[in-house]
Amino acid sequence: MQIASAGSLPISSDFEQISDLLPLAQARLLELGCGAAFTTRRLAESFPASEIVAMEVDRVQHEKNLLIPDLPNVQFRFGGAQSIDQADESMEAVIMLKSLHHVPIADMDQAFAEIVRVLRPGGLLYISEPVYAGEFNEILRLFNDERAVRQAAFDATVRAVDEGKLLLEREIHFTTLSRFEGFAEFESRVLGATHSAFDVDANLYDEVKARFLPHINDDGIAEFHNPTRVDLLRKPTPA
C-alpha cells in the first residue's frame, strides 16, 4: 500500500469509481461522513432500489440533511464512524469520502472495528482520502494543515489490512477536480464549513485570499486538480 502515487494521474470522481466498484443495485449502503449529501443524492437518485444510511457527525449539517424532502431511500443519522448505530452484518458496502481523517486519531481503530462489524461477510469498504499534495492543499494548509491526520488515516487503514480485519482488493490513484465560482464560494464552502472551526484572523484571511485569487480564470472559475487515493477493502468471508 502506498499513500501517494508519483506521475500523472487520470481525472475521475468518487461517484464514477463507486459506480464501477460497489454493488449498488438493491443494496444496503452506509455512508460515513456524508456532509451536505451531494454524493448521497447522486447515489440515491441513480440507484433508487438501494437503501442508504447516511451518517454525519456535524450536528448543524445533520439537521440540514434531515430537512431534505425528496430522497425516500435515504435515512439520515447522526453519529461518527467509531460508534455506528446499525445491526451486525447489515451492510453490503460502506463508503467514506474524505472523512476517515476527520475521525479522532485515538478512535480510528475503533472505527474500523465498527465498520467490520456492520459489513456482511464479503462486503466492501470504499475509502477515499485526499493526498497531501497539490495547489489546493497548499492553500488549505495555511489554516488547516492535515498532514498528520491524513497520515494517521492511512496508517490505520494499513493496520486494518495487516491485522486481517479487511482484505485489500484494490488501491486506486486518480485526480479529482474542485471548482469554485470565485473566492466567495470558497469562503462559504471551506472557510465557513460548520464541521470545523478555523482560527483565521484578518492577516491570515488576506493571505489565503491572495493565494486563491491567481487561480481564478477569465470566466470567474477557480479549478484545482487534487490527487486522491482510494482503498477498496473487503471483509473476509468465514472459511
Side-chain angles (χ1 to χ4, degrees), residues 63-145:
E63 294 296 333
K64 293 178 181 178
N65 292 343
L66 289 176
L67 300 177
I68 296 174
D70 58 342
L71 295 178
N73 56 333
V74 177
Q75 301 174 41
F76 289 106
R77 300 289 181 86
F78 177 75
Q82 63 269 37
S83 181
I84 301 172
D85 183 20
Q86 295 294 310
D88 295 357
E89 299 185 356
S90 58
M91 300 290 170
E92 273 83 27
V94 175
I95 299 167
M96 299 189 79
L97 305 179
K98 316 297 186 288
S99 58
L100 178 57
H101 67 275
H102 289 292
V103 175
I105 293 175
D107 294 334
M108 286 183 179
D109 290 337
Q110 174 62 23
F112 274 101
E114 278 288 271
I115 291 167
V116 170
R117 179 183 65 78
V118 301
L119 273 174
R120 293 174 180 169
L124 292 170
L125 167 60
Y126 178 99
I127 301 176
S128 177
E129 280 287 299
V131 173
Y132 192 82
E135 295 177 347
F136 191 56
N137 187 73
E138 289 301 299
I139 296 172
L140 292 180
R141 74 183 185 90
L142 293 173
F143 59 92
N144 184 31
D145 193 331

Side-chain angles (χ1 to χ4, degrees), residues 181-189 212:
E181 294 185 2
F183 184 73
E185 184 179 359
F186 173 85
E187 184 175 8
S188 174
R189 284 171 49 190
F212 183 93

Side-chain angles (χ1 to χ4, degrees), residues 216-237:
I216 299 176
N217 62 24
D218 293 340
D219 295 323
I221 302 296
E223 185 174 272
F224 299 91
H225 292 226
N226 309 311
T228 300
R229 182 191 71 259
V230 164
D231 293 302
L232 183 67
L233 310 173
R234 184 180 296 276
K235 179 176 177 177
T237 53

Side-chain angles (χ1 to χ4, degrees), residues 171-190:
E171 189 166 77
I172 306 160
H173 295 266
F174 57 93
T175 298
T176 62
L177 299 180
S178 295
R179 290 170 55 89
F180 299 90
E181 294 185 2
F183 184 73
E185 184 179 359
F186 173 85
E187 184 175 8
S188 174
R189 284 171 49 190
V190 179

Side-chain angles (χ1 to χ4, degrees), residues 32-46:
L32 295 170
C34 66
F38 296 123
T39 301
T40 313
R41 173 174 291 280
R42 293 191 69 183
L43 290 170
E45 292 177 345
S46 299

